[in-house]
Amino acid sequence: VLKLAPNCWLLSEISKDKKGAPFVKNLIQYSLPRQVDPNRPNLDLEILQDTLVKLVDENELDGRDVAILLPSSFSATRTYNVPFDVEKKGDLKEFLISSQEKEFWQEFDSEVQECKLPIFDTQFLAPGEEEGTSHIFVSWASQEILNKYIDLALTARLQPVALIPELQAVLNLLIPQLDRLEREGFFGILHLARGRSKLLAVSPERIASAQVNISDLDEELLDEIESVEDVPGEFWSEVGARIGSSLKQAVMYLREQEGVPPLRN
């Protein structure tokens, strides 16, 4: 799985344990000479191509299949209740036609309007509360940016086989590791990403999210925390308290606005 971060390429080799659950077998990080914008790879194509080719050569990854992880800021994942019973052939056929139209999804989410040339992918979750409806997991991203990432992988002699929104990739890795009881109710995921940190409440039939508002200063500190040898002390306690307060606000939003029960996990 290949991901472009602002200051490096990240490549993880995913394997499966004896029970079939995926885990990260190997994680490779290759630093970039300067910071880039993963949402606009075309601005630094030469740097990105050169460093990715070196990453592949140095780790002997020529010709390997790769899934490209799409930044959450330009790929969206949502759950909606659509007016189709997709378990019926007639409704499914009509839904598949409608689901490729930007205008159809704009009725559910104005954010789709901001996405230029979006490509949509959908997955059935569960029957809706009302007859003739279905809960659908939807993801979309801009075709133009997808093409840039595909070209980068091919230039480095990798074989792109999947394009996966960041949130969906997180769920794909975490959900198989949960036992049956943990999957039945809502569980929480704290997704830390500069400017777009979220608390996600995930159930078999629904995904709800709330923004976690973290200050620019604390985001800078979070970026550096992995290199800090010792975090106990008054300074880091204050940082934790501020982030904890933001997290509590996100929990309250999920309860009051989304009707999500208390998260146990």
Side-chain angles (χ1 to χ4, degrees):
V1 180
L2 181 68
K3 173 183 169 65
L4 176 61
N7 58 355
C8 65
W9 282 108
L10 290 164
L11 194 144
S12 59
E13 290 185 278
I14 308 295
S15 188
K16 290 186 177 181
D17 61 22
K18 293 180 179 179
K19 296 181 180 179
F23 68 94
V24 178
K25 180 181 179 181
N26 186 26
L27 183 64
I28 301 166
Q29 179 175 317
Y30 199 98
S31 297
L32 300 172
R34 68 166 183 265
Q35 190 159 321
V36 302
D37 184 354
N39 302 300
R40 297 188 289 174
N42 52 303
L43 298 181
D44 299 284
L45 273 180
E46 188 173 338
I47 288 175
L48 297 178
Q49 288 174 345
D50 182 57
T51 49
L52 185 55
V53 167
K54 289 178 180 177
L55 183 159
V56 170
D57 286 345
E58 291 177 12
N59 293 277
E60 299 180 349
L61 297 169
D62 285 38
R64 292 283 292 274
D65 289 348
V66 65
I68 300 170
L69 200 63
L70 305 176
S72 62
S73 46
F74 86 77
S75 61
T77 50
R78 302 284 190 272
T79 53
Y80 299 120
N81 193 52
V82 298
F84 297 96
D85 183 350
V86 299
E87 293 184 299
K88 295 180 178 178
K89 287 186 178 180
D91 272 21
L92 175 60
K93 183 177 181 180
E94 190 175 347
F95 169 72
L96 291 176
I97 295 172
S98 300
S99 66
Q100 293 306 310
E101 299 296 329
K102 182 176 181 179
E103 292 75 14
F104 174 76
W105 295 112
Q106 284 174 341
E107 296 179 14
F108 298 91
D109 198 330
S110 60
E111 187 177 324
V112 181
Q113 298 175 9
E114 302 172 9
C115 188
K116 188 177 181 181
L117 299 176
I119 295 294
F120 299 95
D121 195 13
T122 61
Q123 179 181 335
F124 172 72
L125 288 176
E129 288 85 3
E130 300 177 8
E131 187 176 351
T133 64
S134 302
H135 283 301
I136 299 292
F137 182 78
V138 187
S139 59
W140 71 82
S142 166
Q143 179 69 71
E144 289 185 338
I145 301 179
L146 297 183
N147 290 342
K148 293 287 189 302
Y149 274 94
I150 291 170
D151 289 344
L152 280 167
L154 290 173
T155 300
R157 302 180 304 282
L158 295 171
Q159 302 298 323
V161 295
L163 299 158
I164 307 174
E166 194 166 22
L167 168 58
Q168 187 174 338
V170 171
L171 294 174
N172 288 348
L173 191 64
L174 289 182
I175 289 178
Q177 299 180 37
L178 302 176
D179 62 34
R180 184 179 59 82
L181 289 176
E182 289 173 324
R183 295 187 203 185
E184 285 182 353
F186 278 95
F187 64 90
I189 296 176
L190 175 58
H191 183 208
L192 292 173
R194 183 180 285 262
R196 55 186 193 278
S197 295
K198 290 183 177 181
L199 175 63
L200 305 155
V202 183
S203 78
E205 299 181 353
R206 186 176 166 219
I207 300 171
S209 66
Q211 198 76 19
V212 180
N213 297 312
I214 300 174
S215 69
D216 292 342
L217 172 61
D218 285 338
E219 287 193 325
E220 291 280 354
L221 294 171
L222 284 174
D223 281 349
E224 301 297 327
I225 199 168
E226 287 187 350
S227 62
V228 177
E229 292 184 3
D230 190 19
V231 293
E234 185 177 351
F235 175 79
W236 286 105
S237 292
E238 291 178 358
V239 173
R242 290 195 297 270
I243 295 172
S245 177
S246 299
L247 189 56
K248 287 179 182 177
Q249 291 177 5
V251 170
M252 289 179 61
Y253 173 86
L254 289 174
R255 288 187 186 181
E256 295 174 4
Q257 302 298 321
E258 299 289 346
V260 173
L263 300 172
R264 293 178 299 171
N265 302 308

